[in-house]
Structure formats: structure tokens, C-alpha cells
Amino acid sequence: VKNSPDAYGMVSGSEGYEYEMFFSSNPNDMIKIDGWIPIDTSRIEKADKINEYIEIGLLRRIGSSLS
């Protein structure tokens, strides 16, 4: 399934993940969901740009949120 957690390299739970990736619903979706999903670092295609992705808000380190 295209949008399954397995597509992002996830396993059960978010243990062992260093980063979360921001996702946003498509404009035509009936239900709008924006949020964060843990992502396996090996699934980040351009790992050398991780700091840039953090600066623009696409990635964040797990545990760095103020919630």
C-alpha cells in the first residue's frame, strides 16, 4: 500500500528513530491531516541535506518537540 507505514521504513512503534518527517494532506482529501511520522534515516534520499530539511521544517529530531 502506497501510504502504509511500511512505505516509510517504519516498524511497530517509533523506537530507534532519530527523525520525524512532516506530512500534509492533499488539497482534494476529504479529511485534512497534517502531522509528523517517524522515518528511518536510511530512507532519507539526500542524507547530506538533513540539516537543511530541519531548517525548512520538513524534518525534526524525535524528542525535540515542545509538546
Side-chain angles (χ1 to χ4, degrees), residues 49-64:
K49 293 191 172 211
I50 288 176
N51 287 332
E52 181 180 331
Y53 295 151
I54 290 172
E55 287 177 17
I56 63 173
L58 181 61
L59 290 179
R60 69 179 180 187
R61 285 190 184 278
I62 292 180
S64 65

Side-chain angles (χ1 to χ4, degrees), residues 5-6 9 13 15 17 20 22 29 32-34 37 42-46 48-49 51-52 54 59 62 64-67:
D6 295 331
E15 299 158 8
Y17 291 97
E20 292 176 313
F22 183 75
D29 289 345
K32 306 294 183 207
I33 302 173
D34 295 341
I37 187 169
S42 67
R43 304 284 296 179
I44 302 171
E45 291 182 19
K46 297 181 180 178
D48 59 322
K49 293 191 172 211
N51 287 332
E52 181 180 331
I54 290 172
L59 290 179
I62 292 180
S64 65
S65 65
L66 299 173
S67 56

Side-chain angles (χ1 to χ4, degrees), residues 2-24:
K2 180 179 171 186
N3 293 326
S4 75
D6 295 331
Y8 297 101
M10 290 183 62
V11 292
S12 60
S14 61
E15 299 158 8
Y17 291 97
E18 186 176 356
Y19 299 101
E20 292 176 313
M21 178 180 71
F22 183 75
F23 69 92
S24 182

